Amino acid sequence: MRARPSRAVCVLVTTVILTGLLVPGAAAQPVGEEPVPGPEAVAPAVVELADIPAEPPAQPARPAGGELFGADCDTVIHGSQVSAYCHNAYPETDLVRLHVECDRWWDVDGDGVAVAVGPAGRTELVGRCWKEVRSAWVSHRRP
């Protein structure tokens, strides 16, 4: 499988490009009028693409002490098959659900059923596409 940029990076780059195209038009003044001082009169900011991270962090930071929640899930993609192995190390039940996004436009994306993973519990979630898998992730919810 070839590497693809994440959606967050694509959205960020598109936003930066569109902002760069729109700011000069917003700063333009009609002929014969005094320039208006303000943020629109300032030259557009330059953003270095090297400063934008290629991928977001793998896992968000865990909440503070009393808010620990959520099973730890590892997702594995083999061709058109997806497996997610989840282990809940916390004292509260977590409802986990596997989401699979297929690469082909005609291939139906899949959202699995929510499975309850109790304290110290483990589960395996499976999903598939007819052809290639574009991405797969697990969502968490309190019961």
Side-chain angles (χ1 to χ4, degrees):
M1 267 172 64
R2 61 183 178 185
R4 294 176 181 250
S6 70
R7 286 186 183 194
V9 172
C10 290
V11 169
L12 180 63
V13 170
T14 304
T15 304
V16 168
I17 291 170
L18 289 176
T19 302
L21 294 173
L22 295 176
V23 167
Q29 296 290 324
V31 178
E33 289 188 18
E34 287 287 319
V36 179
E40 63 275 355
V42 179
V46 177
V47 176
E48 293 292 328
L49 292 179
D51 295 339
I52 299 172
E55 290 290 327
Q59 219 175 17
R62 295 286 185 181
E67 289 292 319
L68 294 177
F69 170 78
D72 182 32
C73 297
D74 295 320
T75 306
V76 179
I77 300 173
H78 290 287
S80 64
Q81 301 286 332
V82 178
S83 298
Y85 305 95
C86 298
H87 174 258
N88 187 6
Y90 299 108
E92 195 173 333
T93 300
D94 184 9
L95 292 175
V96 294
R97 188 173 182 184
L98 178 64
H99 306 273
V100 179
E101 183 178 344
C102 301
D103 198 30
R104 308 289 175 121
W105 65 268
W106 47 262
D107 205 348
V108 180
D109 297 340
D111 295 322
V113 298
V115 176
V117 183
R122 293 179 183 270
T123 191
E124 178 183 3
L125 306 170
V126 293
R128 67 178 304 265
C129 292
W130 283 103
K131 290 284 189 174
E132 299 87 9
V133 174
R134 176 174 293 170
S135 63
W137 65 95
V138 176
S139 63
H140 304 267
R141 190 171 51 117
R142 285 187 158 91

